[in-house]
Amino acid sequence: MSNITLHTLTSLKEAGKKFTVLTAYDATFAHLMSTAGIEMILVGDSLGMVLQGNSSTLPVTLEEMAYHTRCVAQGNQGAMIMADLPFMTYATAEQCMSSAAKLMQAGAHLVKIEGGAWLADSIEMLATRGIPVCAHLGLTPQAVNKLGGYKVQGKDKSSALEMIEDARRLEEAGASLLLLECVPSLLAEEITRNASIPVIGIGAGPATDAQVLVLHDMLGITPGRRPKFTKNFMEGCNSIEGAILRYIDEVKNGTFPSEAQSF
Ligand code: KIV
Ligand code: NA
């Protein structure tokens, strides 16, 4: 398989075909999922929860993200690698650029940052210097304390309109991708329709151009309560590879996510 690039993902969007994203934090899983056909691997700061056992992503450091990005890059077979900039490593545009540079040098192909229109300057600064950026909107877990919990975002009219405007401004600033977490399906559909860049969804319904899940959630091994938008793909499968292949299949044929996994 030839290497996946932003061009591949944009072409898939234009052709009306879905692509798939999963989180990975090490070489073995990166190898397995990229070989199975996952187009993009997210080195998510969710590792603060699923690897480190914290109750939020806030404790994760840039050095830890760089370490896991290096591990993933070692095993990856041609997928795009997206790495999260962790909490408070992109508070200003200059800080965003120097933090992003560390993850790009660790092997990321693009970085993801959480927030709305205030990120426009940072995105423009990175994009003009050759670093593609994904803007994460909706439920932004690094802001959990401000949001007052892990809740669906954009439910009322004014917050929905604000998210539509944020998406527009961040694309205009030079974002290469958008990611929507925990937003009503209809709002995600509208943002996806308006955007000429690919939109990845998690808990955002079936209309986005791509889906992402946390690996541990889709393998059904995350301890405690699991969010409504996840699905255990190990059920009825006898291997991890089988579960990943089923996830790819269900996203591409439109059976995941269903109503049961959407808002
Ligand atoms: O860190 C992560 O895994 C993420 C996804 C939930 C989108 O940001
Ligand atoms: Na994240």
Side-chain angles (χ1 to χ4, degrees):
M1 184 175 75
S2 64
N3 290 354
I4 307 285
T5 65
L6 281 177
H7 180 72
T8 319
L9 305 182
T10 309
S11 303
L12 286 169
K13 176 180 175 109
E14 281 161 10
K17 292 185 179 150
K18 307 277 182 195
F19 63 91
T20 54
V21 187
L22 276 181
T23 70
Y25 318 97
D26 67 32
T28 302
F29 277 107
H31 191 281
L32 184 65
M33 64 180 67
S34 55
T35 307
I38 291 285
E39 280 90 356
M40 176 178 275
I41 299 173
L42 170 62
V43 187
D45 63 352
S46 52
L47 68 85
M49 299 167 95
V50 296
L51 298 194
Q52 299 175 338
N54 298 305
S55 59
S56 79
T57 58
L58 274 66
V60 178
T61 67
L62 187 60
E63 288 64 37
E64 289 165 349
M65 291 307 300
Y67 168 78
H68 288 284
T69 302
R70 278 196 303 277
C71 293
V72 164
Q74 290 291 341
N76 178 39
Q77 304 292 308
M80 267 199 102
I81 300 175
M82 173 156 81
D84 273 342
L85 287 188
F87 181 64
M88 279 300 140
T89 62
Y90 54 97
T92 64
E94 281 75 17
Q95 191 195 15
C96 185
M97 188 174 59
S98 70
S99 301
K102 293 208 172 86
L103 298 189
M104 297 300 281
Q105 290 182 318
H109 302 119
L110 78 158
V111 296
K112 176 161 75 62
I113 49 183
E114 298 181 5
W118 69 272
L119 292 175
D121 289 347
S122 302
I123 290 173
E124 192 183 341
M125 189 165 201
L126 268 62
T128 53
R129 286 159 181 78
I131 301 180
V133 182
C134 175
H136 183 153
L137 296 164
L139 171 55
T140 48
Q142 292 171 19
V144 62
N145 297 294
K146 179 91 191 321
L147 297 174
Y150 297 100
K151 296 182 187 143
V152 182
Q153 303 295 310
K155 273 168 56 172
D156 58 79
K157 192 158 185 212
S158 71
S159 64
L161 288 174
E162 191 182 331
M163 208 183 298
I164 291 168
E165 180 59 12
D166 284 348
R168 192 194 62 73
R169 285 187 58 186
L170 296 180
E171 174 172 353
E172 194 178 80
S176 295
L177 294 173
L178 295 174
L179 186 147
L180 301 176
E181 177 165 352
C182 288
V183 307
S185 303
L186 283 175
L187 175 57
E189 186 176 347
E190 176 155 3
I191 291 173
T192 304
R193 197 174 346 103
N194 292 343
S196 53
I197 53 176
V199 180
I200 303 167
I202 176 164
T208 53
D209 304 304
Q211 297 291 329
V212 60
L213 282 177
V214 170
L215 176 67
H216 296 58
D217 288 343
M218 64 85 72
L219 294 178
I221 57 172
T222 307
R225 205 180 126 256
R226 300 203 187 104
K228 165 183 156 93
F229 55 77
T230 68
K231 176 170 171 179
N232 180 359
F233 284 91
M234 278 301 283
E235 245 160 50
C237 281
N238 51 24
S239 72
I240 291 173
E241 188 187 16
I244 292 172
L245 288 169
R246 200 167 119 225
Y247 167 68
I248 294 172
D249 198 48
E250 290 196 13
V251 170
K252 300 225 184 228
N253 72 27
T255 50
F256 177 83
S258 70
E259 284 282 316
Q261 292 116 10
S262 306
F263 301 105

